[in-house]
Amino acid sequence: MAKSGGKESENISGKAENAGGKTRIRVDFPIIAGSARIIAISASLQGVQNMPGKHADRASAVRSGNSGVHGLKRLFPGAVLFALLAGSTAAMPPPASAGTHTAAASHDQIASNDGTTLYVQAVGRGSPVVLLAGGPGLNPVYMQPVWEDLARRHRVIVLHQRGTGKSILPVVDAAHLSVDAYVDDLEALRKHLGLQKLVLVGHSWGGMLAMLYLSRQPARVEKLVLLDPGGLDPSFVKPFGENLRAKLTESDLAMLQAGQAAHDPNLELKAKWPGYFYDRDRALATRSGADGAFGQDGVGKFAMPSYFANSETMILALKGAGSVPVILIKGKQDPIDESVATSIATVLPQTEIKLIDECGHLPWLERPKQADEFYGLLHRALE
């Protein structure tokens, strides 16, 4: 049994082994990349306002107005999610909800090659799936509705990527946030789990990381499921920012200017939040999810340039990576342009592209119809 938050919890690998790491806990989320601001490149935040559990329960909750804070408190007794978002130092399991299997929740920590301690949590039973959140630098809690839904059929392994969640870096610099380090982290996780191959589900930056891992370790990947991924090279960044800004109102832009003047990344993200949605009402209903989103500063500043510096090598390697199944699920109105999916399919011709109409960057937070379509496509992708 591994120690977590002062309580015993099941070791994720199912083995009584010690990763040799030390627990360091904080909640994190940077979204700045390189010398240019990538406007919330994963934009991923905050799925916590959506409703995990059975599709019917989720749709009913949204229709009845439970998508706001009060509805969330009713669905998550004890406000576990709010504690995590506020930077709680308690290692808490995901909250239970109707229709999910959280009894097998566990927490663990592993050591990567450079000695960085990585926090890992898992929930559910069934075939293992590794979930990679966006950013780079987003706390994975925004994807909790997704892992709660997947946990009905799978053992979902949630990696807190370096510099996020409870995987805190002693120093935020280029050495600690290189693509080599990210690949080493996934290899450390794979070995810890005792798996020959990984099934990777990555959202936004998480999809980019999944493709990077495939380029380096093709024999270690069983399947990729990419959810609204970013691109393989920096060409997508400029149109992404333009598409996002085009959806912002004058009040959004005023809020953005205020956030920039105050050097408040959380306020900046709240300003940009509607740009990630097709349905502005849904964006406004979930906007408070951006509060407290950011943690260790500078993760994206170092990780994204490293990724783009390796683009050519990665693309060449992916072309020779074999026929690993790739399923790409994407909102048709995602500010990350549809051409990004097409370019990925050009490099990985086995890619199956599934588009959801009237849907943005966070499909599980859009209207009930789009959310249900997303979950259906995701489950079928993992069959």
Side-chain angles (χ1 to χ4, degrees), residues 266-287:
N266 296 304
L267 185 58
E268 289 184 49
L269 182 59
K270 290 184 78 168
K272 300 167 188 172
W273 191 249
Y276 296 103
F277 285 75
Y278 172 81
D279 188 318
R280 184 173 175 85
D281 288 341
R282 290 297 302 139
L284 297 179
T286 60
R287 200 174 204 174

Side-chain angles (χ1 to χ4, degrees), residues 195-235:
L195 297 173
Q196 289 298 311
K197 297 186 176 185
L198 296 177
V199 175
L200 299 174
V201 177
H203 176 249
S204 198
W205 155 259
M208 297 162 71
L209 176 54
M211 292 186 287
L212 171 67
Y213 183 74
L214 174 62
S215 75
R216 300 286 187 91
Q217 297 286 348
R220 299 303 186 186
V221 179
E222 181 178 337
K223 178 182 288 187
L224 294 188
V225 181
L226 310 176
L227 311 177
D228 292 273
L232 293 166
D233 61 49
S235 64

